[in-house]
Amino acid sequence: MKFLREAYQSGHALEIIFSSLRWFFLVVSITVFILQYVEDPVQIKLTLFVPLVVFGLIYMGVSDYYLHRSPEGSRMYTFMAKCGPFFDFIAFSTLVPLTGGIESPLFPLAYLIILHIAVYWRFLGGIIAAILFISVYSIIFLKQVSDISSFDSIVNYLCQVLFLFLIGGLGGIIVSRERKHHSEKNMLVEVANRDYLTNLLNHRSFQECLREDIENGLEFHIALTDIDKFKCINDKYGHVMGDLVLRQIGAMITSIIPEKTGKVFRYGGEEFAIILYTKEQFEVNRILVQVKQAVANHCFSCEGEPFSVTMSFGCCKQNGETPNQLVKKADKLLYEAKDNGRNQIVCVNLGACHDLIFVKD
């Protein structure tokens, strides 16, 4: 049930479902073909079916590899995902004639493939896919039905064409509507969770992330950091320059901390929050020192006048506290760094009786 909810929200989860269905229907197709071949062994059908299965196994294996190993949205991921419906259409066009033509038990796969195409190309894709499947069905119908002018033949043909067209049209409309709704919802969520100035995750995102990480039992450190004497920058160079400093520092911190290692948030004002997913204190110290040095070494400029800024840090490891307790502890360490001269990193060393460590260059 959880995975189905994810499929509604995630294109990746939906693609994994379609990929899994390919393997399922491959087994079904092989079973249907074998049962029919045993009853009516036609060598030409076997000659065509075997290479098709081999090609399908190779394609589906390669496709699954990139779907699971490549980053979502990468070139190969997108290529393999969008090639899937084309492979499905080719496989369908070959399998159906080999397993009974218009009476093939595999024919309903056409409806599923049309919907899959509509996921990527929406209404227009659904209509085009329906026309292609109608063409395939029409060719098979003309070759297989001896009396195409009979009433039963005409009714069967028109019903199948109508169903295919309706699935393409209505399926495309429904998918387009849902995709649009989902995109708008994601956009609103993104706006609600992002700081408009720095494009970092905002205070709300930080609190939610902190709560979820604690509930999931993750090991991590949090650091609160702010720009030393930031008010002086606004007073001397103006708030526009102050905004630029915030944006550039946010970009510097983000570039230093890999996405898999941690997350960066704008906590408020000139203050930032960092979550680092490691239990090693020396690794936390290394990353924070790198951030601290990068900021201190960066040269800002306002109307030709260069200036620099420094940052202070308070950092602690999650050790069973509530989110509020954890933030309060990190905030206390930050003020400890401020009180001891700024431009410092103060951490709690959990391995040494909670003594304070002043990490300096």
Side-chain angles (χ1 to χ4, degrees):
M1 185 64 72
K2 181 181 178 182
F3 189 76
L4 291 177
R5 287 197 301 268
E6 291 177 354
Y8 177 77
Q9 300 174 348
S10 166
H12 175 69
L14 183 62
E15 197 56 47
I16 295 299
I17 289 177
F18 276 118
S19 178
S20 301
L21 285 174
R22 285 195 194 101
W23 290 102
F24 172 74
F25 284 120
L26 177 64
V27 174
V28 172
S29 300
I30 293 174
T31 303
V32 170
F33 180 83
I34 291 174
L35 292 174
Q36 293 183 351
Y37 185 77
V38 169
E39 186 175 329
D40 182 21
V42 178
Q43 186 61 37
I44 185 64
K45 288 186 176 181
L46 181 64
T47 303
L48 293 173
F49 185 76
V50 171
L52 179 64
V53 171
V54 172
F55 173 75
L57 289 171
I58 294 173
Y59 171 80
M60 289 159 61
V62 173
S63 176
D64 275 10
Y65 175 83
Y66 283 107
L67 288 179
H68 289 282
R69 296 301 182 92
S70 296
E72 186 177 356
S74 65
R75 181 178 299 179
M76 282 305 301
Y77 180 98
T78 303
F79 176 77
M80 296 308 297
K82 289 193 174 183
C83 276
F86 290 105
F87 164 76
D88 295 339
F89 175 73
I90 294 171
F92 174 87
S93 302
T94 309
L95 278 173
V96 168
L98 294 176
T99 55
I102 59 175
E103 297 178 358
S104 171
L106 302 178
F107 190 82
L109 287 176
Y111 307 132
L112 185 63
I113 299 171
I114 290 173
L115 291 178
H116 192 189
I117 293 173
V119 167
Y120 291 106
W121 290 281
R122 304 193 180 185
F123 176 74
L124 181 60
I127 292 296
I128 293 175
I131 292 173
L132 290 174
F133 279 100
I134 289 171
S135 300
V136 171
Y137 177 78
S138 299
I139 293 172
I140 298 173
F141 179 84
L142 291 173
K143 290 195 173 187
Q144 187 173 350
V145 177
S146 56
D147 185 8
I148 59 174
S149 61
S150 68
F151 179 77
D152 288 343
S153 298
I154 293 174
V155 170
N156 289 336
Y157 175 79
L158 291 178
C159 284
Q160 287 291 359
V161 169
L162 179 62
F163 290 151
L164 288 169
F165 196 76
L166 286 176
I167 288 293
L170 292 178
I173 291 173
I174 293 171
V175 169
S176 297
R177 182 177 176 275
E178 288 300 315
R179 282 297 192 182
K180 182 180 179 182
H181 173 72
H182 183 58
S183 298
E184 290 174 349
K185 180 181 176 181
N186 284 344
M187 188 179 299
L188 291 174
V189 170
E190 185 71 9
V191 169
N193 291 330
R194 288 277 172 186
D195 172 59
Y196 74 97
L197 179 63
T198 61
N199 199 37
L200 296 175
L201 293 168
N202 59 19
H203 189 124
R204 173 186 174 181
S205 297
F206 172 67
Q207 294 292 348
E208 290 180 355
C209 185
L210 206 57
R211 177 181 55 80
E212 290 176 2
D213 289 345
I214 290 175
E215 288 179 356
N216 293 330
L218 299 182
E219 290 189 284
F220 61 91
H221 287 72
I222 73 162
L224 293 182
T225 173
D226 72 0
I227 304 169
D228 297 326
K229 299 182 179 179
F230 184 71
K231 185 177 183 300
C232 296
I233 296 173
N234 283 332
D235 292 343
K236 184 174 182 178
Y237 301 107
H239 287 84
V240 173
M241 190 65 214
D243 289 348
L244 179 62
V245 170
L246 287 171
R247 282 196 296 269
Q248 291 188 6
I249 288 179
M252 276 189 278
I253 299 174
T254 303
S255 67
I256 291 171
I257 300 176
E259 188 175 343
K260 292 183 178 179
T261 304
K263 296 177 181 177
V264 185
F265 308 82
R266 186 183 179 192
Y267 191 79
E270 71 272 23
E271 198 166 3
F272 299 87
I274 303 170
I275 298 179
L276 295 172
Y277 296 102
T278 175
K279 59 183 179 180
E280 303 296 340
Q281 184 69 57
F282 74 89
E283 177 67 10
V284 173
N285 293 349
R286 183 191 67 79
I287 293 173
L288 295 184
V289 167
Q290 188 177 355
V291 172
K292 175 175 165 294
Q293 291 176 338
V295 173
N297 293 335
H298 185 79
C299 183
F300 298 92
S301 177
C302 181
E303 297 181 354
E305 180 182 349
F307 67 94
S308 60
V309 300
T310 60
M311 297 187 76
S312 299
F313 300 75
C315 177
C316 59
K317 183 180 180 181
Q318 197 278 329
N319 192 34
E321 300 92 345
T322 66
N324 287 339
Q325 290 171 336
L326 192 58
V327 171
K328 186 176 180 180
K329 184 164 68 172
D331 199 40
K332 183 178 179 180
L333 296 172
L334 173 59
Y335 277 97
E336 190 78 28
K338 293 282 192 180
D339 291 340
N340 282 275
R342 298 184 175 86
N343 192 25
Q344 296 186 45
I345 304 168
V346 179
C347 299
V348 170
N349 184 1
L350 295 175
C353 301
H354 302 267
D355 291 333
L356 292 179
I357 300 177
F358 295 83
V359 182
K360 298 182 180 179
D361 295 350

